[in-house]
Amino acid sequence: MAAKEARDAVGEYKAGWHDPENATIRFDFGLSEQVVRDISALKNEPEWMTDIRVKAFHHFESRPMPTWGNMSMLEDIDFDKVCYYLRSSDATEKDWEDVPEDIRNTFDKLGIPEAEQKWLSGVTAQYESEAVYHSIREDLEQQGVIFLDMDSGLREYPEIVKEWFCSVVPYQDNKFSALNTAVWSGGSFIYVPKGVHVEMPVQAYFRINAKNMGQFERTLIIADEGSSIHYVEGCTAPTYSTDSLHSAVVELIALPGAHIRYSTVQNWSANVYNLVTKRGIAHENAKIEWVDGNIGSKLTMKYPAVILKGEGSHAEVISVAYSGKGQHQDAGAKIHHLASNTTSKILSKSISKDGGRGSYRGLVSVSPKAENCKLNVVCDALILDDGSRSDTYPTMEVANPSARCEHEASVSKVSDEQLFYLMSRGHSEEEALALIVNGFFEPFTRELPMEYAVELNKLMALEMEGSIG
Amino acid sequence: MASDTPVLGIRDLHAGIDDTPILRGIDLEIPAGEIHAIMGRNGSGKTTTANIIMGHPDFEVSEGSVELNGEDLLDMEPWERARAGVFLSFQYPQAVPGLQVGNFLRKSVAAIRGEDAAKGTEFRKRLKEAMEELDIDRSFLGRYVNDGFSGGEKKRFEILQLMLLRPKLAILDETDSGLDIDGIRTVSKGINAAVRGTDSGALIITHYSRILEHVQPDKVHVLIKGRIVKSGGPELALELEERGYDWLEEEAETTA
Ligand SMILES: Nc1ncnc2c1ncn2[C@@H]1O[C@H](COP(=O)(O)OP(=O)(O)O)[C@@H](O)[C@H]1O
Ligand SMILES: [Mg+2]
């Protein structure tokens, strides 16, 4: 009976499995100033970090819930039922063989070791709150690139962290950035020195494993002048019987002429609230790209943002969202053109199915002083059945008349003739649907490293299984 | 397999959509190695015939049978028919944005002829040869299936699929329309290569005799209002070219 209830609560989750909870340190449920102080003390943090955490906690407490997105789903979050810190293995590992076995199994199922051979240049695999596996390829080290989990970053490079932490996403930004700042744990810290190009994508996997485990990772990436990096974050989570909360903050700083690309595919199980603040600042002639895929979760509210602060800087946000039964993907992008000759591009693609709901929420603004800016926004929605829903909320606030703005939006349905054509080539109805769906996502998928593209296509094919009546 | 079992055997086929009859008793047999043509005006039921053989879910068959090499097709799903060896070159091929031609060809060959046929140098070699024969540029492989294709490109692409999928029965629905003379010549070569001297068969649907000059049909059938009213040799196509369909329509009226 319990199993069935759990299944009903979380929906179909094909990648669902979880390890026995073998956490060594685990706080009781619920949040208080004392819990925040305990987390900081346990990590031996400098006082300034403890202070920020405490301030952020009080801000979180007093800040009301957002009044947009999916308010009724948000109201269902019970913050007293969330566990705010849990550490499943004591040390940060350097060697794959030293990683505890059940944790390794989890990653095996995700195919990480194989992917590592081909693509990984350094791995931070986040298990629960602490990074347990961390390897940096030697050439990265030789290039002077710092790639650590955030906790180690704070320990080893406190002055860099202090300079940039909360500089892009202040804790007062929103309720969930305040929560993250108060209780953050894990995440990645990356510094790329001047002129260094990291050729291989750098990857990290995140998983939530314990019931009611809140995961609050914090990532900070600084690309110094003329450098470049592609960071890849992939998430998938096992099945739970009750709701889980994932609330991350990612801050990117692209100094003059630098290029940061940040790619994510999240596949949280259907009970996870995924409320994430991602934002980057692009200085002169810098470029920031968010490649953001949202496949799982119950409710995602995520709007990767770029502040185009320096002249000639460029922003791109390419996102896809898949909303199945009981899911709401409220995703989009925010771009602020603060300087002249800045350009931006937003491509958003959403699929809804089985009553799922996809929303595009976008804001692009041009400040009065920013001359000759170019903006391009394209939103495409594909609706797979009648009960599903897609909405767009595009906003453009253009305060300088020299800006050139383009906006396109389309909503389409899969036609019977398209399906029949593909079926006549030997593909079952489900396979045909998967071909159409993967084709629709292709402008996104082609931006991903091959391993991820293949994984995403497989995921979507799984989602199409059993969908034909 | 007994050589007298036809590749395609249709008997007394009645079919329609939403209780509206479209096909009203069709009989047709295509023996191995033969190419037959169906000609008829717009709306006479040619595409419907093709759709029903392929298994389009919109149409209801009320009577009759359709067999491939003696095997009943009507209970099969479209993809099962494709795997059994039925191929349809569509009058209006559908676009699938984001699905690359090369990827689609490989997946379709794998689905129909098995994984092994879609792998390795042998597949690549066949693909290259077929593309050269059809005058298709290599860059084509990176484009999206029928997305933004010209009329001629769509038809060439259908024939490319025919050549790679090597079906037992190829149905070509107005493959000639949208092609210039050179296109018709190339496409005809593809069709001949796929059928002549093999144990496959083909059904060419057209309302012009032009393509039939290049693909000499063994038989020509005239479809009027869901019935085959006349069958004959290739000379029938030329007669239709000269005299049109009116005389046959009158004949059909009096016998109906
Ligand atoms: N999907 C459909 N829905 C309703 N009527 C159809 C459909 N397909 C074909 N028909 C009707 O069936 C008849 C034959 O059409 P079709 O087979 O396409 O003719 P042809 O290919 O010979 O031009 C026409 O009257 C057409 O309107
Ligand atoms: Mg037709």
Side-chain angles (χ1 to χ4, degrees), chain A residues 33-58 85 149-167 169-171 177-189 216-220 249 251:
Chain A
E33 181 176 329
Q34 196 51 50
V35 168
V36 171
R37 287 188 180 281
D38 287 349
I39 291 172
S40 192
L42 191 82
K43 292 165 177 282
N44 279 319
E45 287 179 348
E47 207 179 321
W48 64 265
M49 182 58 82
T50 314
D51 288 347
I52 291 188
R53 284 184 184 271
V54 169
K55 279 189 205 146
F57 165 71
H58 290 295
Y85 183 73
D149 65 90
M150 192 65 193
D151 295 272
S152 308
L154 177 60
R155 260 193 318 271
E156 294 177 32
Y157 300 92
E159 64 299 329
I160 305 183
V161 174
K162 191 175 180 184
E163 184 179 354
W164 300 104
F165 190 87
C166 276
S167 72
V169 181
Y171 65 81
S177 66
L179 177 62
N180 174 280
T181 308
V183 300
W184 72 267
S185 217
S188 295
F189 171 68
F216 305 95
E217 86 270 10
R218 181 92 188 192
T219 288
L220 176 60
V249 169
E251 298 179 277

Side-chain angles (χ1 to χ4, degrees), chain A residues 415-432 435-436 438-443 446 457, chain B residues 51 54-57 78-79 82-83 87-88 90 93-95 97-99 104 107-108 111-112 144 146 158 161:
Chain A
S415 80
D416 291 346
E417 297 307 318
Q418 235 180 347
L419 284 173
F420 180 57
Y421 184 73
L422 294 172
M423 291 191 289
S424 80
R425 295 334 186 215
H427 307 290
S428 72
E429 194 165 356
E430 287 166 354
E431 289 160 357
L435 288 175
I436 293 168
N438 285 332
F440 180 76
F441 276 169
E442 201 271 350
R446 73 164 170 244
N457 282 343
Chain B
N51 277 335
M54 194 73 246
H56 195 300
W79 61 92
R83 291 172 194 176
F87 176 84
L88 172 58
F90 281 67
Q94 295 289 310
L99 176 57
F104 173 62
K107 285 201 153 86
S108 300
I112 289 173
Y144 298 149
N146 293 313
E158 295 294 285
Q161 295 176 63

Side-chain angles (χ1 to χ4, degrees), chain B residues 158-177:
Chain B
E158 295 294 285
I159 301 306
L160 178 61
Q161 295 176 63
L162 165 67
M163 290 169 74
L164 294 173
L165 295 173
R166 297 204 256 169
K168 297 199 175 102
L169 171 69
I171 308 160
L172 300 117
D173 192 359
E174 310 241 2
T175 300
D176 49 349
S177 58

Side-chain angles (χ1 to χ4, degrees), chain A residues 417, chain B residues 17-18 22-23 40-49 51 56 58-59 91 173-174 205 207 223:
Chain A
E417 297 307 318
Chain B
I17 194 163
D18 301 333
I22 301 174
L23 304 185
R41 285 208 163 110
N42 276 336
S44 57
K46 302 184 297 296
T47 295
T48 303
T49 306
N51 277 335
H56 195 300
D58 285 357
F59 297 94
Q91 183 175 7
D173 192 359
E174 310 241 2
I205 293 171
H207 50 244
L223 191 64

Side-chain angles (χ1 to χ4, degrees), chain A residues 230 261 263 289 291 316 318 442-449 453:
Chain A
H230 182 185
R261 167 180 278 219
S263 301
E289 295 166 293
V291 178
E316 247 168 72
I318 304 175
E442 201 271 350
F444 171 85
T445 319
R446 73 164 170 244
E447 301 296 332
L448 297 176

Side-chain angles (χ1 to χ4, degrees), chain B:
Chain B
M1 178 205 330
S3 61
D4 53 355
T5 309
V7 174
L8 176 69
I10 300 181
R11 266 178 300 278
D12 195 30
L13 180 65
H14 291 254
I17 194 163
D18 301 333
D19 296 330
T20 312
I22 301 174
L23 304 185
R24 300 178 302 156
I26 288 193
D27 289 278
L28 182 67
E29 279 199 0
I30 304 181
E34 287 197 9
I35 297 176
H36 287 205
I38 288 188
M39 300 184 73
R41 285 208 163 110
N42 276 336
S44 57
K46 302 184 297 296
T47 295
T48 303
T49 306
N51 277 335
I52 285 171
I53 300 170
M54 194 73 246
H56 195 300
D58 285 357
F59 297 94
E60 279 289 315
V61 173
S62 50
E63 259 184 271
S65 65
V66 179
E67 291 178 354
L68 180 76
N69 290 323
E71 193 185 358
D72 174 36
L73 284 182
L74 293 180
D75 278 340
M76 294 187 193
E77 298 289 354
W79 61 92
E80 293 169 333
R81 300 181 195 206
R83 291 172 194 176
V86 183
F87 176 84
L88 172 58
S89 164
F90 281 67
Q91 183 175 7
Y92 303 111
Q94 295 289 310
V96 188
L99 176 57
Q100 281 184 340
V101 164
N103 187 18
F104 173 62
L105 288 174
R106 209 165 10 79
K107 285 201 153 86
S108 300
V109 169
I112 289 173
R113 298 184 45 219
E115 287 290 343
D116 286 345
K119 274 201 255 191
T121 47
E122 185 56 29
F123 172 73
R124 281 197 296 274
K125 195 171 138 244
R126 278 198 65 83
L127 178 60
K128 190 164 170 269
E129 283 167 4
M131 286 175 73
E132 276 165 10
E133 249 170 83
L134 294 171
D135 256 331
I136 295 173
D137 192 79
R138 274 204 77 72
S139 64
F140 204 78
L141 296 174
R143 294 175 67 184
Y144 298 149
V145 169
N146 293 313
D147 195 27
F149 285 18
S150 70
E153 283 172 333
K154 284 184 186 168
K155 298 304 165 82
R156 280 183 158 83
F157 181 46
E158 295 294 285
I159 301 306
L160 178 61
Q161 295 176 63
L162 165 67
M163 290 169 74
L164 294 173
L165 295 173
R166 297 204 256 169
K168 297 199 175 102
L169 171 69
I171 308 160
L172 300 117
D173 192 359
E174 310 241 2
T175 300
D176 49 349
S177 58
L179 284 175
D180 58 18
I181 279 293
D182 283 344
I184 289 181
R185 209 173 284 136
T186 355
V187 156
S188 301
K189 254 201 311 197
I191 298 168
N192 281 322
V195 179
R196 295 301 183 194
T198 73
D199 57 3
S200 296
L203 181 62
I204 296 180
I205 293 171
T206 180
H207 50 244
Y208 304 106
S209 62
R210 251 182 356 178
I211 190 169
L212 303 179
E213 289 164 20
H214 299 277
V215 184
Q216 277 287 313
D218 298 280
K219 283 219 170 94
V220 175
H221 310 275
V222 184
L223 191 64
I224 291 178
K225 291 183 183 148
R227 278 203 187 95
I228 290 176
V229 299
K230 197 172 184 67
S231 298
E235 71 287 346
L236 180 56
L238 298 173
E239 191 176 0
L240 289 168
E241 186 90 327
E242 265 168 42
R243 296 177 64 190
Y245 291 94
D246 287 351
W247 59 286
L248 282 171
E249 247 162 45
E250 279 157 28
E251 261 178 43
E253 292 293 318
T254 54
T255 56

